[in-house]
Amino acid sequence: MTRIEPRTGTAFELSKGQVLTVTDPEGGQVSDLLAVSRADPAEILSNGRTFDYEERIMLTTGARLWSNRSNPMLTILEDTAPAHDFLLTPCSKDTFRHFYPDKPVHRGCFGNLAEALEPYGVGPDDIPTAFNVFMNVPVAGDGTLSVDPPQSPPGTFTRFRAEMDLVIGLTACAAYASNGGTFKPIDYDVSN
């Protein structure tokens, strides 16, 4: 396992057929995940295409995550998490100014993903909505959203298989509401 320290991010290559396991080692943490085609960084993860083709917003074992070009990028092979979110964008400096005006501004997952993915040809304006692993975003009957603490106990994991050669951006979330006001690490592992 490789550890992502709290409030940081990383990027790495994941080849077609390899399996990525994302683990919440201490419980109650979120990890923003982005997938980018290694062949062309303009092909990137799309929540809209994913919702369209999977015909659901709650994604778990068996669901595929699709690109903006309608190609499957990742398949969820195994999922022990109570919930994930694919509606909300990565937290950013602007998120902190908007939601946490009394707290220090942090570059958030957006800034961490932008720095990690820049060497792979992904600029800040290219970063879409991430797949927010373990994030708990209930949707009420009237359509309003809330960001509640994750319900993932220590050791919760989700396993993804790459359906093309990818670059993965991955974070240990920096926003207060997303992780119940605590900042914890995220672990990941890549296997063949």
Side-chain angles (χ1 to χ4, degrees):
M1 284 283 182
T2 301
R3 176 146 293 184
I4 302 173
E5 294 301 324
R7 305 184 101 186
T8 69
T10 190
F12 53 90
E13 295 184 2
L14 187 69
S15 295
K16 182 178 180 178
Q18 286 188 310
V19 174
L20 167 65
T21 302
V22 180
T23 303
D24 182 358
E26 298 178 14
Q29 177 58 302
V30 168
S31 179
D32 287 23
L33 181 153
L34 277 184
V36 182
S37 168
R38 233 164 42 210
D40 182 355
E43 183 168 14
I44 198 162
L45 189 65
S46 169
N47 64 338
R49 295 288 180 204
T50 299
F51 294 150
D52 194 6
Y53 299 138
E54 295 300 307
E55 301 182 61
R56 57 187 303 129
I57 62 170
M58 305 301 288
L59 302 163
T60 187
T61 304
R64 291 174 293 177
L65 306 183
W66 295 75
S67 79
N68 58 329
R69 295 183 181 160
S70 300
N71 294 311
M73 302 188 94
L74 294 161
T75 299
I76 301 175
L77 296 180
E78 188 175 0
D79 189 13
T80 67
H84 306 289
D85 167 67
F86 208 5
L87 297 170
L88 302 182
T89 62
C91 62
S92 66
K93 288 181 180 179
D94 293 320
T95 305
F96 279 81
R97 290 185 191 105
H98 183 87
F99 287 108
Y100 315 113
D102 58 331
K103 307 272 192 219
V105 173
H106 190 277
R107 68 182 186 168
C109 290
F110 182 86
N112 289 331
L113 288 167
E115 180 180 311
L117 290 168
E118 189 272 333
Y120 295 98
V122 177
D125 289 341
D126 302 321
I127 294 175
T129 299
F131 184 73
N132 302 307
V133 189
F134 315 129
M135 192 168 177
N136 183 19
V137 181
V139 181
D142 66 359
T144 57
L145 304 172
S146 60
V147 178
D148 293 349
Q151 299 174 331
S152 48
T156 299
F157 68 88
T158 304
R159 220 168 247 132
F160 305 86
R161 181 182 62 228
E163 303 300 343
M164 63 172 69
D165 291 341
L166 297 170
V167 173
I168 298 291
L170 203 59
T171 71
C173 190
Y176 293 90
S178 300
N179 53 44
T182 64
F183 304 110
K184 300 175 183 177
I186 286 290
D187 291 343
Y188 72 92
D189 180 66
V190 174
S191 59
N192 291 318

